[in-house]
Amino acid sequence: MDLGIAGKTALVCGASKGLGYGCAEALVREGVNVVIVARGAEALEAAAAKLAAAAAGSPAPFVKHVAADITTEAGRAAVFALGHDFDIVVTNAGGPPPGDFRNWDREAWIKAVDANMLTPIELIKATVDGMAKRGFGRIVNITSSSVKSPIDILGLSNGARSGLTGFVAGVARTSIAAQGVTINNLLPGSFDTDRLKGTMAGTAQKTGQDFDTVWEARKKNIPARRFGTPAEFGAICAFLCSMQAGYMTGQNVLADGGAYPGTY
């Protein structure tokens, strides 16, 4: 399927590896120009080189990278020094650490809200009006399945990402919806990433089990009996950014191998 977005320009955050990289790769394969951002310069440069090799189309899309912390004002300024006219924005920030809520102080909560709620809102503010004026825009926020099915040791993530979800539910249904701009949230379940490994390590520590036991038990609780891959996650993201997805907005798209047991 031709997604109709070749030649568009996308900003993809947290794109040096994992789910962010999967989204960037899927977009460049559709002929989308991408600007990728992450904190680690070395990993980001390697990711940019791989993306440039994967780029499809004639002429091939460009791949630019900015090593910055997107959760800071300085980091966002470095990204927007390249321009504000992004047609597609994929927000993504590393999730807060797992743990027991009794051990989290105010600073931990503020850091979580700043990274996983306020940063995406700032990126939306900086780009959405330009998208509306041009008559096309796609914003995809990578959140978490914990928004729909909370995970006890991820309380910081549960809270901060739920705040973003509530904000998007309102702003996606304003006048921008009639101007060709969609805002959706993409909720990953268990994907084979460093984030999942970190969460599993936290569970192992909390329960006193070894890592491999926790890892295998988690897979058995997923109807698909496996963890997802960044590439298939990226393909879902690319579809949400497509011309064909123009009638989908304000939605929370869950990708979890069937793990969520609810009907709705």
Side-chain angles (χ1 to χ4, degrees):
M1 180 187 293
D2 180 359
L3 300 185
I5 51 177
K8 302 292 187 184
T9 301
L11 169 64
V12 185
C13 302
S16 62
K17 57 185 177 179
L19 301 183
Y21 178 84
C23 293
E25 183 178 43
L27 290 170
V28 298
R29 290 187 185 280
E30 292 295 324
V32 176
N33 301 308
V34 297
V35 176
I36 59 173
V37 58
R39 286 173 292 183
E42 185 176 347
L44 189 64
E45 289 177 8
K50 287 171 60 180
L51 290 172
S58 182
F62 66 68
V63 177
K64 298 180 181 180
H65 62 282
V66 180
D69 183 352
I70 199 67
T71 69
T72 66
E73 289 187 16
R76 292 189 290 275
V79 170
F80 289 123
L82 298 178
H84 285 73
D85 294 338
F86 293 105
D87 306 296
I88 295 167
V89 174
V90 180
T91 75
N92 178 33
D100 188 319
F101 76 93
R102 297 170 183 82
N103 299 323
W104 296 326
D105 57 15
R106 177 178 173 79
E107 182 179 353
W109 278 106
I110 294 300
K111 185 176 181 180
V113 170
D114 195 31
N116 299 116
M117 177 182 174
L118 298 182
T119 292
I121 291 173
E122 289 295 331
L123 294 173
I124 292 169
K125 281 174 59 179
T127 58
V128 70
D129 289 334
M131 292 176 177
K133 289 179 181 178
R134 295 189 299 274
F136 178 90
R138 300 287 184 266
I139 297 173
V140 177
N141 303 298
I142 300 177
T143 61
S144 171
S145 63
S146 67
V147 170
K148 194 168 180 68
S149 184
I151 301 170
D152 60 348
I153 63 170
L154 295 182
L156 290 171
S157 179
N158 297 341
R161 297 189 195 277
S162 292
L164 174 63
T165 302
F167 169 79
V168 168
V171 73
R173 293 170 171 85
T174 61
S175 61
I176 63 170
Q179 295 173 279
V181 180
T182 69
I183 309 178
N184 292 292
N185 303 315
L186 185 47
L187 286 55
S190 298
F191 281 78
D192 191 355
T193 63
D194 289 347
R195 169 68 171 172
L196 178 65
K197 292 180 176 68
T199 301
M200 292 295 95
T203 300
Q205 182 178 19
K206 181 179 179 180
T207 62
Q209 298 175 292
D210 65 85
F211 179 86
D212 289 341
T213 298
V214 173
W215 187 261
E216 291 303 316
R218 181 70 169 267
K219 282 199 290 189
K220 289 179 182 178
N221 287 330
I222 302 171
R225 295 295 189 270
R226 67 177 179 86
F227 298 127
T229 69
E232 61 190 339
F233 185 86
I236 300 170
C237 179
F239 175 75
L240 290 175
C241 297
S242 71
M243 297 297 293
Q244 290 88 339
Y247 206 52
M248 292 178 63
T249 195
Q251 301 304 304
N252 294 289
V253 180
L254 182 63
D256 69 347
Y260 174 66
T263 302
Y264 302 107

